[in-house]
Amino acid sequence: AAEDNELINLAKSKGAKGINIGGICCTANEILMRHGISIIGNFLNQEMAITTGAVEVMVVDVQCIMASLPEIAFCYHTKIITTSEKAKIPGAIHIQFTEEEALQKAKEIVKMAIENFEKRNKENVLIPQKISNLVAGFSYESIYYILGGRFRASYKPLNDNIINGRIRGIAGVVGCNNPKVSHDQIHIKLVSKLIENNVLVLQTGCSAIACAKAGFLDSVKGLDYAGKGLREVCEAVGIPPVIHMGSCVDNSRILLAATCVVKEGGLGDDISELPAAGAAPEWMSEKALSIGQYFVSSGVFVVFGVNWPTFGSKNLTKYLFEDIEKEVGGKWAYEPDPDKMADLILKHIDEKRKKLGIDKARERILYDMAMRRELE
Ligand code: SF4
């Protein structure tokens, strides 16, 4: 709808330069990957976006929406529009979304925004000018292509570089912002330490947006934050040290990428044998727990920050932190400090490397003919 010429002309007739759409939290990740629409920010940026005074309408769907939005919007000219039966908010306008009428409803909303533009108080508009570049939208399929091109599509370069130690391991760092901790800081500190220690980081969700703001997802500048080995590999392949794999409902892509690493060979026969771990350092949504559990059940060591919900039961906590590993290969851990969380992940990765026998650099020996004959 924002590309509709009629609506663009209507916007211009009201004095606007055009129609600008921006995304917030995981909706932002989705529309960035599918339509190349810029990200404004993650979960904790939603109220701040309204306070720029430059938002004519804010459209929300089902989850991760602050109920305070209409109240904040009341101080500005912004209209809040809910679109799902399941998530109506007092003070918001409701326009029910249906797949059959998607374009028509979108045009209705864009028109409402254009008509609201005249109410924008231009003297009170304050848009922060800080911009970060990022490369986004990797999938387990596109990694095949990036590593091996069309004719040699393969995970082999990744596996080889994990085996030779240039890449120490892989970490999936995902999940929300949590208002109980400083916005984005746990994500940034954790990921910064991991990439500095040559761990390739795969990301989704608001965590990916936090690290994009910090510059880690920039395929040029992001390399300055990476350790020597990881930098060499990323430079050769042309990727940032932190890989954006989608929204928080796309975590299965990270698991599929891990499966591809196992299938490629040389790093064990199961995800639980990989030098890999997962983390949701600022989690707050309940679904983070179910996502974490399917990672644990798939054999991954998963660390959560901020708080942990089972401390009321010693038995359950012991089961989740220790005993479950014997059953499924993965287990949970809790650590709110990002520095210590990174240490836990690095320790786990090093233990897995040791078990695989790739913990020590081996001298490369070139065999001459006599040495080869001796082998026979
Ligand atoms: S990562 Fe968490 S806060 Fe962000 S959109 Fe997903 S569930 Fe919501």
Side-chain angles (χ1 to χ4, degrees), residues 32-65:
L32 169 69
M33 288 189 303
R34 287 170 170 77
H35 299 290
I37 291 168
S38 300
I39 294 176
I40 290 176
N42 47 10
F43 174 64
L44 284 182
N45 287 125
Q46 57 188 283
E47 288 175 328
M48 284 181 245
I50 298 175
T51 64
T52 60
V55 180
E56 272 59 59
V57 298
M58 183 176 272
V59 185
V60 300
D61 60 355
V62 188
Q63 60 159 21
C64 300
I65 303 147

Side-chain angles (χ1 to χ4, degrees), residues 244-321:
H244 177 295
M245 296 194 80
S247 69
C248 50
V249 291
D250 291 323
N251 287 308
S252 50
R253 289 186 186 155
I254 297 180
L255 217 44
L256 284 167
T259 312
C260 293
V261 172
V262 175
K263 269 170 76 183
E264 190 60 52
L267 289 169
D269 298 323
D270 188 75
I271 289 177
S272 61
E273 292 178 63
L274 293 177
E282 293 184 26
W283 77 283
M284 65 85 196
S285 169
E286 303 84 351
K287 80 175 174 209
L289 284 168
S290 53
I291 294 168
Q293 182 58 41
Y294 78 62
F295 268 73
V296 168
S297 307
S298 304
V300 182
F301 171 60
V302 175
V303 195
F304 269 36
V306 190
N307 51 25
W308 181 255
T310 70
F311 282 138
S313 162
K314 265 190 194 163
N315 288 348
L316 179 59
T317 306
K318 183 178 173 297
Y319 172 69
L320 295 171
F321 287 6

Side-chain angles (χ1 to χ4, degrees), residues 25-27 43 63-64 175-177 204-207 248 284-285 287:
C25 73
C26 280
T27 304
F43 174 64
Q63 60 159 21
C64 300
C176 319
N177 289 137
T204 64
C206 289
S207 184
C248 50
M284 65 85 196
S285 169
K287 80 175 174 209

